[in-house]
Amino acid sequence: MDFAAVKTKAKELFAQASFISEIKHEADYENALALMEELLEDYDEHRTLIGILANAIEEWENVAPEFAEFNQRVAQLDDGVAVLRTLIDQYQLKAEDLKNEIGSKSLVSMILNGSRNMTREHIQALSLRFNLNPAIFFHTTGLRLVSTSRTA
């Protein structure tokens, strides 16, 4: 392997798009999101670069001031509710869209506002629908919400 060539190509890449490995400001973040959108069009071809870029985006979102309030609210949520809210947001769902997994619109609302808890059956049904490990609904520190399916 020609390590000199690898180093040269890496240096050129990071000179052109340093945000791939480290986002330093809002413009970098916007560029990272735009590149990610383009890379996702051919996930298998760009899997490695997607992984590196995803780490940079995640690190930025964890420390950027504009995400501080959101991160604080998520940290205070019950882990299962946080996952449910993320799924609702990610798939642009309404409460009634979860009738097969949870039940009535009012029950979904009660779970989201903390007056009711999700049952084992709710978690199983949501895990099946979104192709998630049920453990994601419990203590999610250090875990990522990742779905292998793109449709709800």
Side-chain angles (χ1 to χ4, degrees):
M1 176 169 283
D2 184 0
F3 290 125
V6 170
K7 291 188 291 187
T8 299
K9 287 178 182 180
K11 186 175 181 179
E12 290 170 1
L13 173 64
F14 292 116
Q16 185 176 358
S18 62
F19 62 83
I20 289 172
S21 63
E22 181 182 14
I23 297 172
K24 296 179 181 169
H25 45 75
E26 183 66 27
D28 281 353
Y29 178 66
E30 294 299 324
N31 285 328
L33 292 178
L35 178 57
M36 180 65 82
E37 189 172 321
E38 192 170 309
L39 293 172
L40 288 172
E41 290 177 12
D42 189 358
Y43 176 82
D44 290 333
E45 175 75 19
H46 303 293
R47 184 182 334 203
T48 303
L49 186 53
I50 288 169
I52 294 167
L53 188 59
N55 286 333
I57 291 169
E58 180 180 20
E59 286 178 24
W60 175 259
E61 290 175 347
N62 285 338
V63 299
E66 61 263 32
F67 293 101
E69 183 182 331
F70 173 80
N71 290 337
Q72 184 178 18
R73 282 194 335 255
V74 169
Q76 293 172 347
L77 288 174
D78 170 84
D79 291 335
V81 172
V83 171
L84 182 58
R85 285 183 187 277
T86 302
L87 289 169
I88 288 170
D89 182 56
Q90 181 179 10
Y91 290 95
Q92 299 175 346
L93 301 173
K94 296 181 177 84
E96 63 254 16
D97 295 329
L98 297 169
K99 64 183 173 216
N100 293 330
E101 292 77 22
I102 295 178
S104 70
K105 182 178 172 180
S106 61
L107 179 57
V108 173
S109 295
M110 288 188 284
I111 290 171
L112 290 173
N113 73 27
S115 62
R116 293 282 301 268
N117 293 321
M118 280 192 282
T119 67
R120 185 176 65 79
E121 290 79 14
H122 297 150
I123 291 170
Q124 273 186 308
L126 289 165
S127 297
L128 286 172
R129 176 175 178 176
F130 297 103
N131 196 25
L132 296 170
N133 183 327
I136 197 78
F137 290 92
F138 306 99
H139 193 64
T140 58
T141 303
L143 296 177
R144 284 193 207 154
L145 177 61
V146 177
S147 175
T148 57
S149 67
R150 288 186 169 231
T151 58

